[in-house]
């Protein structure tokens, strides 16, 4: 969703901000803007479209000097994506300027009050309301900017990360957060400061960063240490300075045409990083501190409730099969957005597992808070270290997949499944629901998965050819059974997200209850037909499709000749344990979507309307 970046210091602000905006592009956005302060003047440019459009507009319209500035990428909530609704927004007097990520829910009431006081508005945004509210508070109370921001925010209902400055006081930026992330980069000797939605815009300048917590704010002033305060009562909070582990290489494409492709190819190493130090095969031990420390809660659980959104929800569905199969614990998998609003029955004996790549998804965060309020134990599975969900949960484990920048999730999915498998195996061992030899066998197989993913990636060229055949299709069906039913859902989601082709995932046997009516000679159907599980049943489903002239793209275990004979195209994956097949069957589906999207000329890394982290509900 929206991205914020800002700079105050001694360097030219423009290149830092524009590069920062480029690095935040992955979050998803539809317009962009920048403000620079230079010699008593604000230079502001905003535009619908991409950061590259902003750069062209800047080149034709303003001086880019100045050592103070802010930039923004906007994902529209209130008001369509256009130049006027883009951020930054300036108060009526022209003095206070602000960028905002989030939603001010009571903006309409606040706006009416401001209109009564003589304010007029240029845009349809809630942000312009907030910046004018800050101005009005300052006028009424004759206070400094920091205090005015604080008073204004106490009148606001909603979620936000904001950065604000006043051109009459160009040595400070005020920042605040509730529900949307905000990081402060600390320059040497406090001679410069950076502000951003995540640390990626400033990693080449500093490794020291403070992540604001919810309901916190800070006045960042040059030459002074940052003090963090509670928005509600002004109390001082200890500022935790984190040492950033992120490096430039991790957030660059590294020779790949797209981040998505890089991330697909990173899966062997990402999966290894997920189980490294946790899967100790020689000792026949799986250990994760977050699980060990809370083993009693897990073992006494009546059930596990998994909450997540999007691709993470699909990983949750795979986990349902794994936990029930291996550890014999009942599992319910919930869309966080539904769970939080349907008065669910949650008890103190429930364990809730929240899965989130970004750790910032608003609905997942709200579901966690609800579960905690009912006394459940909440365990988080996140990729982004220090994210809101990682902090909000009682315990958890990181996937260690490294930054995922392509909006369509790939390595996050397979590493989440890897981690969930480790947890299921650990619990199964503790509960005695898996024999020692099966346990060892699963560990061995899991350890071999990265090599097998590498092998699966070798089908890339063949998959490109299949993609070329079907790139013009208007619909796709994805079928799978058992462990691979969620993979069918994920395959369909990938295709929809990046190629804009309508696709549906279905349990193969359910095809007869509806989707079969769609099948004709124009319908491509991807069928996951590995030799484990319900192989014979899936073969029958394939025959049923064939009789109706559907075009079959089958994902098969290497050496399978039966399905190969019937299918129009077959893509092989190596053999493994049934519970681990999703880690392999996913790979060709990712590549197929990727190539189709590229061939259709789609923006693979930043698909239209989508955001990497959905920080509004
Ligand atoms: C967005 C992203 C998806 C992601 C989902 C959940 O829709 O585009 O790729 O799966 O959010 O995100 P999370 O960060 O919570 O896993």
């Amino acid at each position: 969703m929206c991205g914020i970046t800002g700079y105050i210091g001694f360097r030219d602000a423009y290149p830092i901000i524009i590069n920062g905006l480029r690095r935040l592009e992955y979050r998803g956005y539809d317009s962009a803007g920048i403000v620079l302060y230079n010699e008593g003047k604000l230079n502001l440019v905003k535009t619908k479209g991409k950061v590259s459009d902003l750069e062209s507009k800047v080149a034709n319209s303003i001086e880019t000097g100045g050592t103070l500035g802010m930039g923004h990428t906007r994902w529209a909530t209130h008001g369509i994506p256009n130049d006027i609704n883009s951020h930054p927004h300036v108060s009526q007097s022209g003095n206070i300027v602000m960028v905002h990520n989030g939603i001010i829910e009571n903006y309409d009431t606040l706006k009416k009050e401001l209109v009564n006081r003589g304010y007029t508005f240029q845009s349809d945004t809630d942000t312009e309301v907030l910046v004018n509210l800050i101005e009005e508070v300052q006028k009424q109370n004759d206070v400094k900017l920091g205090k005015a921001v604080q008073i204004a925010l106490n009148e606001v209902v909603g979620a936000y990360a904001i950065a604000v400055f006043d051109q009459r006081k160009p040595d400070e930026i005020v920042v605040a957060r509730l529900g949307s992330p905000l990081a402060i980069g600390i320059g040497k000797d406090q001679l410069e400061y950076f502000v951003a939605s995540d640390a990626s815009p400033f990693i080449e300048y500093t490794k020291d960063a403070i992540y604001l917590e919810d309901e916190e704010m800070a006045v960042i002033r040059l030459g002074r240490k940052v003090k963090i305060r509670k928005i509600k009562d002004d109390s001082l909070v200890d500022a935790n300075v984190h040492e950033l582990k992120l490096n430039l290489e991790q957030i660059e494409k590294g020779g790949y045409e797209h981040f998505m492709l890089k991330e697909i190819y990173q899966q062997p190493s990402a999966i290894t990083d997920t189980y490294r130090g946790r899967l100790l095969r020689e000792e026949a031990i799986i250990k994760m501190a977050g699980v060990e420390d809370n083993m009693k809660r897990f073992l006494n659980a009546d059930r596990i409730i998994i909450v997540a959104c999007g691709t993470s929800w699909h990983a949750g569905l795979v986990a349902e099969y794994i936990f029930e199969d291996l550890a014999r614990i009942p599992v319910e998998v919930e869309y966080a957005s539904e769970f939080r609003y349907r008065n669910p029955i949650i008890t103190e004996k429930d364990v809730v597992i929240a899965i989130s790549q970004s750790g910032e998804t608003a609905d997942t965060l709200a579901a966690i808070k609800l579960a905690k309020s009912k006394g459940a134990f909440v365990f988080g599975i996140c990729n982004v270290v220090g994210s809101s969900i990682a902090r909000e949960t009682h315990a958890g484990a990181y996937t260690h997949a490294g930054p995922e920048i392509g909006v369509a999730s790939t390595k996050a999915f397979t590493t989440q499944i890897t981690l969930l498998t480790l947890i299921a195996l650990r619990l199964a061992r503790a509960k005695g629901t898996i024999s020692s030899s099966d346990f060892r066998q699963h560990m061995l197989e899991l350890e071999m998965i990265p090599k097998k993913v590498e092998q699966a990636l070798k089908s890339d060229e063949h998959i490109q050819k299949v993609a070329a055949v079907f790139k013009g299709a208007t619909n796709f069906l994805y079928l799978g059974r058992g462990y691979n039913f969620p993979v069918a859902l994920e395959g369909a989601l990938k295709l929809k997200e990046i190629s804009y082709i309508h696709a549906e995932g279905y349990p193969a046997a359910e095809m007869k209850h509806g989707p079969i009516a769609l099948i004709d000679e124009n319908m491509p159907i991807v069928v996951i037909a590995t030799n484990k599980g319900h192989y014979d049943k899936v073969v029958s489903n394939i025959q049923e499709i064939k009789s109706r002239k559907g075009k079959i793209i089958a994902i098969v275990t290497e050496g399978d000749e039966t399905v190969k004979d019937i299918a129009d195209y077959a893509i092989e994956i190596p053999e493994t344990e049934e519970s681990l097949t999703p880690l392999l069957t996913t790979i060709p589906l990712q590549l197929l979507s990727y190539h189709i999207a590229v061939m259709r000329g789609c923006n693979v890394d930043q698909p239209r309307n989508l955001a990497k982290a959905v920080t509004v509900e």
Side-chain angles (χ1 to χ4, degrees):
M1 302 237 131
C2 304
I4 288 176
T5 178
Y7 176 78
I8 185 166
F10 56 88
R11 305 174 207 252
D12 258 356
Y14 179 67
I16 297 173
I17 292 169
I18 212 80
N19 276 334
L21 288 181
R22 252 189 242 112
R23 291 197 193 146
L24 295 174
E25 282 191 299
Y26 79 94
R27 298 172 68 84
Y29 72 108
D30 37 51
S31 48
I34 191 164
V35 63
L36 298 166
Y37 170 82
N38 196 17
E39 295 174 354
K41 197 173 147 228
L42 289 181
N43 288 315
L44 183 91
V45 181
K46 318 199 280 189
T47 186
K48 180 177 182 241
K50 293 287 172 194
V51 173
S52 52
D53 300 315
L54 179 68
E55 273 186 284
S56 317
K57 204 164 169 183
V58 165
N60 295 326
S61 56
I62 60 161
E63 289 289 322
T64 57
T67 55
L68 164 64
M70 301 189 304
H72 189 263
T73 47
R74 172 173 187 254
W75 189 89
T77 57
H78 291 74
I80 57 163
N82 63 19
D83 295 4
I84 293 176
N85 287 336
S86 310
H87 300 207
H89 286 280
V90 185
S91 65
Q92 186 146 297
S93 70
N95 288 324
I96 304 175
V97 58
M98 179 164 104
V99 288
H100 165 218
N101 174 7
I103 294 182
I104 308 300
E105 286 169 14
N106 59 339
Y107 84 105
D108 204 28
T109 320
L110 296 170
K111 189 171 182 173
K112 282 184 186 132
E113 282 170 24
L114 289 165
V115 169
N116 286 340
R117 288 171 189 266
Y119 284 81
T120 52
F121 291 85
Q122 320 299 317
S123 74
D124 307 316
T125 63
D126 47 351
T127 308
E128 196 186 2
V129 174
L130 182 54
V131 72
N132 277 313
L133 178 65
I134 293 168
E135 176 154 297
E136 179 59 16
V137 166
Q138 203 175 20
K139 256 197 231 155
Q140 296 286 327
N141 301 278
D142 191 22
V143 286
K144 289 182 179 163
L145 181 66
K147 196 72 200 164
V149 168
Q150 188 178 30
I151 297 170
L153 290 179
N154 275 311
E155 288 183 35
V156 155
V157 178
Y160 51 77
I162 57 167
V164 197
F165 71 80
D166 185 331
Q167 64 153 338
R168 293 164 299 185
K169 205 155 178 332
D171 66 340
E172 65 179 29
I173 300 180
V174 180
V175 292
R177 127 165 215 171
L178 175 62
S180 295
L182 200 102
I184 304 169
I186 307 163
K188 201 165 168 272
D189 301 328
Q190 292 122 38
L191 291 174
E192 60 181 346
Y193 282 104
F194 307 81
V195 171
S197 297
D198 63 44
S200 62
F202 55 77
I203 44 170
E204 66 265 56
Y205 301 104
T206 178
K207 292 284 176 219
D208 296 333
I210 297 173
Y211 290 95
L212 281 192
E213 298 280 348
D214 275 349
E215 302 184 351
E216 287 180 358
M217 62 174 293
V219 177
I220 300 169
R221 190 170 302 147
L222 284 181
R224 207 183 70 169
K225 262 193 160 177
V226 177
K227 284 190 189 145
I228 313 285
R229 292 181 184 277
K230 283 273 176 207
I231 297 168
K232 249 196 205 118
D233 59 13
D234 203 39
S235 56
L236 272 176
V237 183
D238 282 346
N240 281 329
V241 180
H242 294 258
E243 195 196 327
L244 297 173
K245 301 272 186 274
L246 199 65
N247 59 49
L248 260 187
E249 201 181 77
Q250 285 176 299
I251 56 164
E252 282 169 349
K253 285 189 197 145
Y256 288 92
E257 204 183 328
H258 296 99
F259 281 110
M260 183 179 176
L261 192 62
K262 174 183 172 193
E263 287 153 10
I264 291 174
Y265 272 85
Q266 275 182 328
Q267 288 175 109
S269 61
I271 292 171
T272 310
D273 289 344
T274 304
Y275 68 57
R276 178 174 292 123
R278 292 166 166 165
L279 186 158
L280 309 174
R281 191 174 51 81
E282 285 182 2
E283 296 150 57
I285 293 173
I286 287 174
K287 59 168 194 194
M288 280 158 289
V291 176
E292 300 310 321
D293 297 349
N294 298 286
M295 190 54 93
K296 267 201 188 137
R297 296 293 303 240
F298 277 105
L299 296 182
N300 292 334
D302 282 342
R303 60 178 176 168
I304 290 175
I305 305 171
I306 296 180
V307 291
C309 301
T311 291
S312 297
W313 184 76
H314 293 156
L317 287 181
V318 176
E320 178 179 17
Y321 286 82
I322 306 176
F323 276 95
E324 294 199 344
D325 194 5
L326 301 180
R328 307 302 296 151
I329 304 173
V331 177
E332 285 166 29
V333 188
E334 304 266 3
Y335 282 119
S337 53
E338 288 296 314
F339 179 77
R340 62 180 287 198
Y341 283 123
R342 70 165 172 74
N343 194 14
I345 299 164
I346 312 168
T347 75
E348 287 172 9
K349 288 197 75 185
D350 288 328
V351 166
V352 172
I353 299 184
I355 310 174
S356 175
Q357 186 286 128
S358 63
E360 300 295 343
T361 302
D363 282 320
T364 310
L365 203 47
I368 291 168
K369 288 180 182 161
L370 174 68
K372 277 172 75 180
S373 74
K374 308 270 184 195
F377 170 70
V378 186
F379 189 89
I381 291 187
C382 296
N383 187 35
V384 177
V385 176
S387 56
S388 302
I389 292 176
R391 291 191 307 238
E392 191 63 44
T393 41
H394 293 116
Y398 288 114
T399 47
H400 298 308
E404 190 182 65
I405 293 173
V407 165
S409 195
T410 51
K411 62 177 178 173
F413 181 64
T414 44
T415 54
Q416 285 165 349
I417 295 174
T418 304
L419 188 51
L420 287 155
T421 305
L422 288 174
I423 298 172
L425 282 170
R426 176 68 190 96
L427 297 182
R429 199 71 198 109
K431 285 187 74 182
T433 52
I434 192 168
S435 68
S436 158
S437 60
D438 272 0
F439 182 69
R440 282 172 187 272
Q441 179 61 22
H442 273 83
M443 288 176 87
L444 180 68
E445 282 292 336
L446 186 52
E447 214 177 40
M448 276 162 26
I449 285 292
K451 278 266 161 295
K452 293 185 178 182
V453 171
E454 266 169 28
Q455 210 175 317
L457 286 166
K458 292 196 176 129
S459 298
D460 198 355
E461 255 180 52
H462 172 49
I463 295 170
Q464 273 188 56
K465 289 183 189 136
V466 179
V469 176
F470 293 105
K471 65 175 191 284
T474 45
N475 290 291
F476 257 79
L477 207 52
Y478 285 72
L479 303 177
R481 283 184 94 123
Y483 280 99
N484 283 297
F485 157 53
V487 177
L489 295 180
E490 174 60 10
L493 177 66
K494 276 307 72 101
L495 190 71
K496 272 185 275 208
E497 283 178 311
I498 60 170
S499 73
Y500 318 138
I501 295 175
H502 172 249
E504 273 191 64
Y506 243 80
E510 276 291 306
M511 178 184 69
K512 289 203 269 303
H513 299 287
I516 199 162
L518 298 169
I519 298 176
D520 61 16
E521 66 279 10
N522 298 317
M523 175 67 99
I525 299 140
V526 178
V527 190
I528 305 165
T530 57
N531 66 1
K532 296 279 159 55
H534 315 278
Y535 176 73
D536 294 338
K537 308 272 177 208
V538 177
V539 174
S540 304
N541 297 141
I542 292 175
Q543 298 283 15
E544 289 156 8
I545 299 166
K546 196 70 194 166
S547 323
R548 286 157 185 88
K549 300 197 169 66
K551 296 281 178 295
I552 297 160
I553 305 160
I555 312 300
V556 299
T557 312
E558 60 191 352
D560 181 316
E561 293 306 326
T562 314
V563 176
K564 262 194 194 162
D565 279 350
I566 323 170
D568 296 86
Y569 300 91
I571 303 165
E572 288 191 340
I573 54 138
E575 178 150 19
T576 186
E577 280 293 322
E578 187 187 2
S579 65
L580 300 176
T581 52
L583 293 168
L584 302 179
T585 52
T586 305
I587 308 298
L589 304 194
Q590 294 170 343
L591 286 169
L592 184 66
S593 312
Y594 171 78
H595 290 301
I596 290 180
V598 170
M599 287 171 193
R600 287 166 73 95
C602 299
N603 186 341
V604 172
D605 283 335
Q606 295 153 37
R608 70 183 179 209
N609 304 338
L610 294 180
K612 184 71 188 156
V614 178
T615 50
V616 296
E617 64 170 283

